[in-house]
Amino acid sequence: MRIDRRAFLKCVPVGLGAVSKAKTLFAQQDAAQFNWAGNVRYGTNRWLNIESVDQLQEFIKKQNSLKALGSRHCFSRIADNAHQLISFRSMNRMLDIDETEKTVSVEAGITYSKLGPELDRQGYALHNLASLPDISVAGAIATATHGSGSKNGNLASAVAEIELVTADGELRTLSRQKDADEFLGAVVHLGALGIVTRVKLDIQPTFRINEYTYQGLKKNILYEKFSEIMNSAYSVSLFTYRNKDGFANWPWATVRLKVQEEAGFEAKPELFGARLDAGRNTTGSWWERLPHFAIGDVAAKGNELQTEYFVAMEHAVDAIKAVATLADRIQPLLHASELRTVAADKLWMSTCYEQQSLAIHFTWKPDQEGVANLLPEIEKRLAPFEARPHWGKLFFMGSKTLESRYDRLADFRRLVSRYDPEAKFGNAFLRNKLGV
């Protein structure tokens, strides 16, 4: 069976959209506000486009409750608010590059699709990118959104400095060098500490990526050689269509590697028994090839839901097998699934905190009730492996379970109480999932 990569990706329509095009600072009060997928209608229609840090500071002082929206690509209610929403679509510039520190400073509203080409033109790159480039830097960092590669940390791991406005309107800056533990607690902040206005990211010399597509990877080889497969290149993703056997077949894999002299990778006709699809091999800059989608090559609105769980790599195969026991229930709801790995980090609320992780991703049909009924069963199967959910996607577990999965959650709660004692940036999601 030959599977066309573009055809596959078109069956998983991911992208931006659903963002108000109001030209005034405030959206029309009768214009309902939704996330990209349309599964979340926000609790208020009040929406303000922030144009400067000074404006934000004064605005926050006058508010009792508010939340910031990025690209609205979260499927969960992590960004919901019943009183006031704000956007940084006008604060979307790359500010400066420090060639000594090897960092770039950017405004919170910039997207990776804008930042990537600008960095590349100046000879630099980020270490990793998520599946979709058209997401905001600030939003991706807040939710520990990732990418792929056993040695590649998630996007938040590139943060060297973060600037945010707290509940009293104060502008605070935390850096990796000066603020140590507090910085590690604040990077993946889940929107609970304040409103991020600027971040400084680690950069490296630009590079190119050769992308090779292999088809027909067998289940028994996947299980026997899992670590070797996932460590075989700079970035590796394994995809499957939904089918009658659920997870029983893995029809093709995409292997991506960083092109460098010492890489020593050869595109052999077969890789772990899978066949090279010579017609699908491509070469391009890091910002073109690391995402699954090209800039702008996405649907305007998502006809899907998404869920993703992270388990420590030593449990990877057992976790896949455990989820596969639900194949008959998963198959009718599934558009597609992906496996990818992410390096460990030290960020308190990161899904990869102190563990190299396997990410088990599901792109669901837009059946909210069906998915909601299935998630507790998936989480039950993954409970022995202490799975952590992607903060921006759909999951069932609550604060007690999450507390057992995050050693620093109690410290994070204390940090939130210091930064936002009146819960100005709180919402039902944070109360139910984190107890803050």
Side-chain angles (χ1 to χ4, degrees):
M1 176 182 180
R2 293 182 64 82
I3 297 176
D4 185 284
R5 177 176 181 268
R6 289 293 178 185
F8 167 79
L9 292 175
K10 288 182 184 300
C11 85
V12 190
V14 182
L16 295 176
V19 179
S20 169
K21 296 181 179 179
K23 296 181 179 180
T24 58
L25 288 179
F26 282 97
Q28 296 178 358
Q29 299 305 303
D30 61 349
Q33 300 292 308
F34 291 89
N35 68 338
W36 166 78
N39 69 302
V40 174
R41 177 174 177 170
Y42 297 115
T44 179
N45 299 342
R46 293 179 59 82
W47 180 86
L48 172 67
N49 181 38
I50 297 296
E51 297 184 331
S52 71
V53 174
D54 290 342
Q55 178 198 15
L56 176 64
Q57 289 179 279
E58 291 304 312
F59 188 72
I60 285 178
K61 291 176 184 178
K62 300 174 183 177
Q63 303 302 309
N64 294 321
S65 178
L66 75 161
K67 298 295 286 186
L69 297 178
S71 60
R72 307 193 188 199
H73 201 260
C74 284
F75 298 82
S76 71
R77 290 189 171 272
I78 191 169
D80 195 15
N81 187 267
H83 303 281
Q84 179 69 55
L85 300 169
I86 61 174
S87 167
F88 285 90
R89 62 166 57 179
S90 296
M91 294 179 63
N92 62 359
R93 297 174 298 161
M94 186 176 84
L95 299 173
D96 61 77
I97 290 176
D98 189 317
E99 295 189 352
T100 302
E101 288 186 353
K102 293 294 185 292
T103 58
V104 60
S105 294
V106 301
E107 290 181 317
I110 197 170
T111 62
Y112 289 95
S113 59
K114 180 178 180 180
L115 177 59
E118 289 189 17
L119 270 180
D120 187 56
R121 281 192 291 270
Q122 299 194 46
Y124 290 102
L126 301 173
H127 77 290
N128 207 355
L129 286 174
S131 297
L132 178 71
D134 297 300
I135 57 175
S136 69
V137 169
I141 288 165
T143 53
T145 296
H146 50 103
S148 181
S150 297
K151 296 181 180 179
N152 301 329
N154 62 34
L155 302 182
S157 68
V159 176
E161 186 174 281
I162 188 167
E163 176 188 275
L164 70 162
V165 178
T166 54
D168 57 3
E170 179 186 356
L171 186 66
R172 299 194 61 173
T173 301
L174 297 170
S175 72
R176 185 191 294 143
Q177 291 184 343
K178 297 179 181 178
D179 298 287
D181 211 35
E182 188 168 333
F183 168 82
L184 297 175
V187 174
V188 182
H189 55 85
L190 308 177
L193 299 179
I195 306 296
V196 172
T197 55
R198 180 184 60 84
V199 294
K200 184 182 288 186
L201 304 172
D202 296 330
I203 56 177
Q204 63 188 62
T206 191
F207 58 93
R208 294 179 68 79
I209 290 287
N210 280 0
E211 181 176 282
Y212 301 100
T213 298
Y214 288 85
Q215 299 182 35
L217 181 65
K218 302 299 183 183
K219 181 177 67 174
N220 64 315
I221 301 298
L222 173 72
Y223 292 161
E224 292 171 10
K225 303 285 187 180
F226 188 80
S227 293
E228 190 177 348
I229 291 169
M230 302 310 287
N231 291 324
S232 64
Y234 186 80
S235 175
V236 177
S237 292
L238 304 175
F239 297 93
T240 182
Y241 279 114
R242 60 183 178 89
N243 53 61
K244 65 179 182 180
D245 297 315
F247 284 97
N249 295 321
W250 296 92
W252 64 285
T254 298
V255 179
R256 304 181 182 91
L257 70 154
K258 182 175 179 179
V259 178
Q260 50 187 7
E261 290 182 359
E262 65 268 30
F265 183 89
E266 296 181 7
K268 300 176 181 179
E270 287 194 2
L271 186 68
F272 303 103
R275 302 178 307 280
L276 178 67
D277 183 351
R280 305 307 304 171
N281 300 335
T282 59
T283 299
S285 183
W286 61 278
W287 60 269
E288 296 173 301
R289 301 284 14 115
L290 286 176
H292 295 330
F293 291 86
I295 293 173
D297 185 22
V298 291
K301 190 176 188 299
N303 189 29
E304 65 183 66
L305 301 171
Q306 291 186 16
T307 295
E308 191 164 36
Y309 296 102
F310 297 75
V311 298
M313 275 295 287
E314 58 263 33
H315 303 310
V317 172
D318 288 337
I320 296 168
K321 290 179 177 179
V323 175
T325 63
L326 293 170
D328 289 344
R329 293 188 59 186
I330 289 171
Q331 188 272 338
L333 294 170
L334 192 66
H335 272 314
S337 184
E338 179 184 1
L339 301 179
R340 47 191 168 178
T341 52
V342 189
D345 59 59
K346 295 290 186 180
L347 306 174
W348 293 2
M349 301 308 296
S350 168
T351 47
C352 298
Y353 175 72
E354 294 194 340
Q355 67 178 35
Q356 185 190 59
S357 300
L358 164 71
I360 306 174
H361 170 90
F362 304 92
T363 296
W364 305 109
K365 295 177 181 179
D367 182 345
Q368 187 92 1
E369 182 178 358
V371 171
N373 290 333
L374 180 57
L375 293 185
E377 294 301 317
I378 294 177
E379 292 178 12
K380 182 178 179 180
R381 299 301 195 280
L382 291 174
F385 316 112
E386 299 186 332
R388 298 167 178 168
H390 191 303
W391 296 111
K393 300 179 183 180
L394 298 176
F395 63 95
F396 175 76
M397 65 184 74
S399 59
K400 279 191 174 182
T401 302
L402 289 167
E403 188 167 19
S404 70
R405 310 285 164 87
Y406 286 89
D407 295 340
R408 303 300 298 268
L409 179 52
D411 294 328
F412 183 72
R413 288 171 178 154
R414 285 189 284 271
L415 193 63
V416 172
S417 67
R418 283 175 35 219
Y419 275 64
D420 187 18
E422 302 299 324
K424 183 175 288 191
F425 305 115
N427 61 12
F429 179 94
L430 293 173
R431 290 190 296 272
N432 295 336
K433 301 301 185 182
L434 296 173
V436 299

